[in-house]
Amino acid sequence: MKCRKCEKEAVVKLRHYNLALCQEHFFEFFEGRVEKAIKKFKMFARGSKILVAVSGGKDSVTLWYVLVKLGYSADGLFIKLGREEEVRPAYDKVRKLSEDLGRKLLVLDATEYLYGFSTFEAARILRRPTCSYCGMVKRYLMNLAAYENGYDVLATGHNLDDEASVLLGNILHWQADYIMRSYPVLEKTHEKLVKKVKPLVLNYEDDIKLYAKLRGLDFLESACPFAIGATSKLYKRLLNELEREQAGVKLSFYLNFLREKKEIFRVKESRDALKLNSCKICGYPTTGEICTFCRSRELLEKGIKDRL
Amino acid sequence: MKCRKCEKEAVVKLRHYNLALCQEHFFEFFEGRVEKAIKKFKMFARGSKILVAVSGGKDSVTLWYVLVKLGYSADGLFIKLGREEEVRPAYDKVRKLSEDLGRKLLVLDATEYLYGFSTFEAARILRRPTCSYCGMVKRYLMNLAAYENGYDVLATGHNLDDEASVLLGNILHWQADYIMRSYPVLEKTHEKLVKKVKPLVLNYEDDIKLYAKLRGLDFLESACPFAIGATSKLYKRLLNELEREQAGVKLSFYLNFLREKKEIFRVKESRDALKLNSCKICGYPTTGEICTFCRSRELLEKGIKDRL
């Protein structure tokens, strides 16, 4: 099988694009998809100060690598969600990547905000589902780090499979608000809210893994041990099954949704532009008076005292 | 395990309703769901003259049986889509049911309209996909039979799984028109168009099969040999997988769609109310000048002549 773009032997066959490519042209194609997403969704410009949230997994590692390779000014952010020894393997890989790329790495220790507890321990104390609690902490701290360090935009490694499966889940349960808010860019709608973007949104998860492997990027293979059995995985599995019979459907499902959502769905202004206040404790955005992060910190403090 | 409604031992456990029932109360529950759909979607009244399209499969056989049991005035319609020997097994079962129920059975021979060919042969001659061609012929002849024999409403055996899976497919491919038109009742919007209803739309396919078996109804086990690998089966399979992990999701997905569709989706008037003309050849409704059925008959005639 020959590469579609040159005479070399193809090393990859991308079923969803019906495209066979040699390694060199696969790299070019893959990076082109990232550049395309950045332009198409007006994520950021050449001179923007970008902060990439890097967990050490294939997506964020690839994202940081590609953004720097494309010539963007992108630093990394690593959040320690667990104790030192738990996060070491991921942290080591991310620090090494930072050195290889010659880009700054910000490090934030979540436990310092959670009275010494890891997010997993804090979730247990608060009796909150681990994944949703950890996600809330991550979102809060990512935004805080980007804001306090003067970045224009925060980039995360969410890929096509992530976005399409979340959309599918929201549709199956008709979460109208979430359906309408589904977009690879979240604009700055509050003084202390940094614009958020997902530049890998046009890339299939399988392709990202392939790219990372072929580039020899060092990433953490193991998924978060707490995410086993997560509902998002169920929707991903369904979409993968569908994709096997209808190659390309994942991309067309997601892209056509974005293209037609204003045509198909009623846009409720009140839903679209959530009124954001400033948290009375920390000043960061919230829809209420006190943000979820500060409220959960209060409860955590109380929970700790009650235990004594 | 006890029946939820009485002291007897339960014979069925309906996971999707989290409900264990004895046989007697399962029958009552099942028939209640059919009555509920009839009322909820204003399908027909006590005195309505109903024609049930009966293929001999579990859905249509159950539908006819339940409607008569509930006291509705429901006759049957059997359409011979293939040659005599091909349709005999189904026809025999339907004729027997007609006798058992003491209700009239109309029989229409599709081959008489197709120059002696079965729908499958005609589809091959016309190089049309078998399922879509056969569906078109069935819809045309069902309506014709109901109209010419003075029935108020035509009932088909589409169940919850059918409707939910078609909806899912239309969403995955963002067929906005089809999404919006998805409803268990199709109103009479043309002089020669009989109102169409789907009274089994609140019943899970598995429950229908169970009901038919427990009632000792004789139905054709084998699905249409041409439907193997149909895309609709793929969406059903995906929903079944989902249902295994989230019991009840199929029903809530479909019902919440119906409940919220005007809230969630933009209703395009032009899409909602299709302008229907009368076919210049047969007088039945069409969006163009000549209806698809008559046009395909013309092509079939030409195809046969060209072959000679």
Side-chain angles (χ1 to χ4, degrees), chain A residues 169-185:
Chain A
N170 286 333
I171 285 172
L172 286 167
H173 296 280
W174 295 112
Q175 302 283 333
D177 293 25
Y178 290 121
I179 294 171
M180 283 317 299
R181 272 190 248 142
S182 174
Y183 200 72
V185 173

Side-chain angles (χ1 to χ4, degrees), chain A residues 34-188:
Chain A
V34 182
E35 187 75 272
K36 188 177 171 183
I38 294 167
K39 297 272 187 298
K40 181 182 177 76
F41 301 110
K42 300 187 175 60
M43 293 184 173
F44 42 75
R46 278 289 141 198
S48 305
K49 274 194 72 185
I50 304 158
L51 184 64
V52 184
V54 193
S55 66
K58 64 181 185 332
D59 301 306
S60 55
V61 159
T62 299
L63 174 59
W64 195 9
Y65 177 89
V66 171
L67 289 186
V68 171
K69 186 158 187 312
L70 289 171
Y72 289 102
S73 166
D75 291 336
L77 166 67
F78 183 77
I79 300 177
K80 294 180 172 172
L81 296 162
R83 292 171 187 281
E84 208 55 41
E85 63 278 12
E86 292 168 337
V87 303
R88 175 96 23 88
Y91 181 43
D92 286 348
K93 289 188 197 305
V94 175
R95 214 172 36 190
K96 175 73 168 45
L97 180 61
S98 154
E99 282 162 23
D100 292 350
L101 295 175
R103 300 291 321 190
K104 195 159 96 182
L105 177 67
L106 305 188
V107 181
L108 215 82
D109 190 343
T111 67
E112 286 177 16
Y113 293 80
L114 304 174
Y115 306 95
F117 290 107
S118 71
T119 48
F120 328 121
E121 291 165 332
R124 213 176 306 134
I125 294 170
L126 293 166
R127 289 162 203 227
R128 289 276 314 274
T130 316
C131 291
S132 79
Y133 178 75
C134 182
M136 182 276 290
V137 170
K138 269 193 287 188
R139 280 190 301 277
Y140 182 88
L141 294 178
M142 285 189 303
N143 180 63
L144 177 138
Y147 178 76
E148 298 204 339
N149 292 283
Y151 287 92
D152 299 317
V153 58
L154 177 75
T156 56
H158 294 90
N159 58 43
L160 173 63
D161 298 51
D162 294 326
E163 298 304 289
S165 59
V166 166
L167 177 63
L168 179 61
N170 286 333
I171 285 172
L172 286 167
H173 296 280
W174 295 112
Q175 302 283 333
D177 293 25
Y178 290 121
I179 294 171
M180 283 317 299
R181 272 190 248 142
S182 174
Y183 200 72
V185 173
L186 203 64
E187 293 293 345
K188 179 180 179 66

Side-chain angles (χ1 to χ4, degrees), chain B residues 94-148:
Chain B
V94 176
R95 214 173 35 190
K96 175 71 170 46
L97 179 61
S98 156
E99 283 161 21
D100 293 347
L101 294 175
R103 300 291 323 189
K104 195 160 98 182
L105 177 67
L106 306 187
V107 180
L108 215 85
D109 190 343
T111 66
E112 286 177 13
Y113 294 80
L114 303 174
Y115 305 96
F117 291 107
S118 71
T119 48
F120 327 121
E121 291 166 333
R124 211 174 308 129
I125 294 169
L126 294 165
R127 291 167 202 217
R128 289 275 314 271
T130 315
C131 292
S132 80
Y133 178 76
C134 181
M136 182 276 290
V137 170
K138 270 193 287 187
R139 278 190 303 276
Y140 182 88
L141 293 178
M142 286 189 301
N143 180 62
L144 176 138
Y147 178 78
E148 298 204 338

Side-chain angles (χ1 to χ4, degrees), chain A residues 172, chain B residues 159-171 182 201 232 235-236 239 249-255:
Chain A
L172 286 167
Chain B
N159 59 42
L160 175 62
D161 297 52
D162 294 327
E163 297 304 288
S165 60
V166 166
L167 177 62
L168 179 62
N170 286 333
I171 285 172
S182 173
V201 83
S232 60
Y235 303 128
K236 274 196 184 179
L239 282 177
V249 65
K250 219 183 272 180
L251 184 64
S252 70
F253 167 59
Y254 182 64
L255 273 191

Side-chain angles (χ1 to χ4, degrees), chain B residues 8-59:
Chain B
K8 280 193 208 133
E9 195 61 19
V11 297
V12 299
K13 169 83 168 86
L14 308 174
R15 263 193 83 223
H16 32 277
Y17 304 112
N18 191 25
L19 190 62
L21 294 169
C22 68
Q23 179 163 304
E24 186 194 337
H25 283 114
F26 170 62
F27 288 160
E28 184 185 283
F29 177 79
F30 184 91
E31 291 154 14
R33 303 280 306 166
V34 182
E35 188 74 272
K36 187 176 171 181
I38 294 167
K39 297 275 186 296
K40 182 182 175 78
F41 301 110
K42 300 183 176 63
M43 293 185 172
F44 43 75
R46 279 288 140 197
S48 304
K49 276 194 71 184
I50 305 158
L51 185 64
V52 185
V54 193
S55 67
K58 65 181 184 329
D59 301 306

Side-chain angles (χ1 to χ4, degrees), chain B residues 257-271:
Chain B
F257 165 76
L258 292 182
R259 188 176 302 137
E260 309 226 6
K261 72 182 209 179
K262 294 216 170 158
E263 182 75 12
I264 297 176
F265 292 94
R266 280 177 194 278
V267 182
K268 294 236 167 175
E269 289 310 322
S270 59
R271 284 175 172 171

